[in-house]
Amino acid sequence: MSSLHSDRDYAVTKSEDEWRAQLTPQEFHVLREAGTERPFSGEYEDDETVGVYACRACGAELFASETKFASHCGWPSFYTPLAGDSVEYLEDRSLPGRPRVEVRCANCGSHLGHVFEGEGYQTPTDQRFCINSISLTLRPAE
């Protein structure tokens, strides 16, 4: 799988070598190569700590704990990003017959996960932002 490439200019840009030096191999695979961590293996799936979830690659604030909910899907789920422009959306046709919407950090372009709609969760947006724990860093509220 190749690294993410976009025509968009991000506020935080680094070379592939700089990202590799900053991130662990698993973090690099998920954040920069659009990989996925194993379900039910991430540190934040069941975490109920109050705070803000930031991009592990660049530190941009992405999701508030107040929007996190138990979807029991194997990854942390949120019903909305922290601010409308904190994430970007890209069409993902990597699974034949199952188009999805990829979610990336709008600050650095790192892969976070996917967003799904109409699954029947009782949330204000009827959306599930299914995000890899390894893409996030939790900043607990003080």
Side-chain angles (χ1 to χ4, degrees):
M1 193 177 295
S2 63
S3 293
L4 301 176
H5 298 286
S6 175
D7 294 334
R8 181 176 169 189
D9 290 326
Y10 294 101
V12 174
T13 57
K14 297 181 181 188
S15 70
E16 188 169 312
D17 287 341
E18 289 172 316
W19 285 121
R20 283 187 188 280
Q22 174 187 329
L23 303 169
T24 68
Q26 187 179 8
E27 290 169 347
F28 183 86
H29 174 65
V30 173
L31 288 158
R32 305 306 306 169
E33 297 179 320
T36 301
E37 67 188 349
R38 287 185 340 270
F40 304 102
S41 68
E43 65 183 306
Y44 300 129
E45 181 202 354
D46 296 321
D47 194 291
E48 295 181 7
T49 303
V50 175
V52 172
Y53 291 87
C55 175
R56 188 163 298 188
C58 73
E61 294 186 343
L62 302 171
F63 298 96
S65 61
E66 291 82 9
T67 66
K68 188 173 185 279
F69 68 100
S71 67
H72 309 288
C73 70
W75 296 272
S77 296
F78 304 86
Y79 61 80
T80 191
L82 192 59
D85 60 353
S86 63
V87 299
E88 69 174 334
Y89 307 95
L90 286 86
E91 182 180 62
D92 178 354
R93 295 197 168 271
S94 62
L95 296 176
R98 286 192 53 205
R100 301 180 294 172
V101 177
E102 179 186 1
V103 179
R104 289 189 192 174
C105 173
N107 196 51
C108 71
S110 289
H111 173 76
L112 304 171
H114 292 86
V115 61
F116 302 94
E117 290 184 298
E119 295 179 314
Y121 291 104
Q122 299 300 308
T123 62
T125 62
D126 198 26
Q127 294 181 316
R128 176 174 59 94
F129 285 78
C130 183
I131 306 298
N132 291 285
S133 284
I134 201 167
S135 296
L136 302 171
T137 299
L138 174 60
R139 296 179 183 155
E142 296 181 12

